Amino acid sequence: MKVIKLRSKTPRIAKHLTTAATRRKRLSSNIRKKILWRQRSCILTATAEHSSPSY
């Protein structure tokens, strides 16, 4: 009986590990996107300020 119980627990642990990995991957990609977006917006504002003529 004990062996069967252990077997039933292992897939759950594996599933949890994979979900944790995918969550980490998704979070890191989201952070990367945010950083890229921030950089792009900063560049756009800098170029807009530079290109507009100051009187």
Side-chain angles (χ1 to χ4, degrees):
M1 287 297 282
K2 283 184 180 179
V3 178
I4 294 165
K5 282 185 179 178
L6 284 171
R7 273 190 198 154
S8 66
K9 278 188 179 180
T10 47
R12 196 181 300 156
I13 293 163
K15 199 181 218 181
H16 183 72
L17 284 171
T18 52
T19 51
T22 50
R23 194 184 300 121
R24 207 179 305 120
K25 218 177 278 179
R26 193 168 58 241
L27 282 170
S28 65
S29 66
N30 282 348
I31 290 164
R32 202 181 301 121
K33 283 176 190 169
K34 282 179 184 175
I35 290 166
L36 282 169
W37 182 253
R38 202 176 294 132
Q39 285 175 347
R40 198 180 298 136
S41 62
C42 285
I43 290 163
L44 284 172
T45 52
T47 52
E49 286 174 7
H50 186 72
S51 63
S52 63
S54 56
Y55 294 108

